Amino acid sequence: MGTTDAPPTRNADGRFFITEECDGCGLCGDAARYFVIRQPVDGSEEEALLRDAMEQCPLSCIRDDGTVI
């Protein structure tokens, strides 16, 4: 399966998203599994947890498109 740059439609609207390559391995913890349910507030603890999950993801499926809404 190739790398997908566009977020799947199940992600909550916003800058963070999980690509379709996510296999639900769980290495990211409970921060993001399969899709982003709600977008974190900038600078919040939730954002910090999501960024930690991005670093843990072996498939680099957790993405930040950089757009602030």
Side-chain angles (χ1 to χ4, degrees), residues 1-65:
M1 201 180 259
T3 301
T4 302
D5 291 329
T9 56
R10 295 189 327 184
N11 287 297
D13 289 338
R15 66 189 287 178
F16 294 98
F17 62 96
I18 311 299
T19 67
E20 293 176 358
E21 284 79 19
C22 177
D23 63 3
C25 70
L27 291 176
C28 65
D30 291 329
R33 200 170 290 173
Y34 296 111
F35 57 94
V36 174
I37 295 172
R38 76 171 180 259
Q39 296 293 322
V41 175
D42 286 342
S44 69
E45 184 177 335
E46 285 183 333
E47 180 180 10
L49 290 171
L50 191 52
R51 290 197 179 281
D52 286 343
M54 289 171 77
E55 292 178 14
Q56 297 299 318
C57 181
L59 299 175
S60 299
C61 295
I62 307 170
R63 307 273 177 87
D64 174 359
D65 72 3

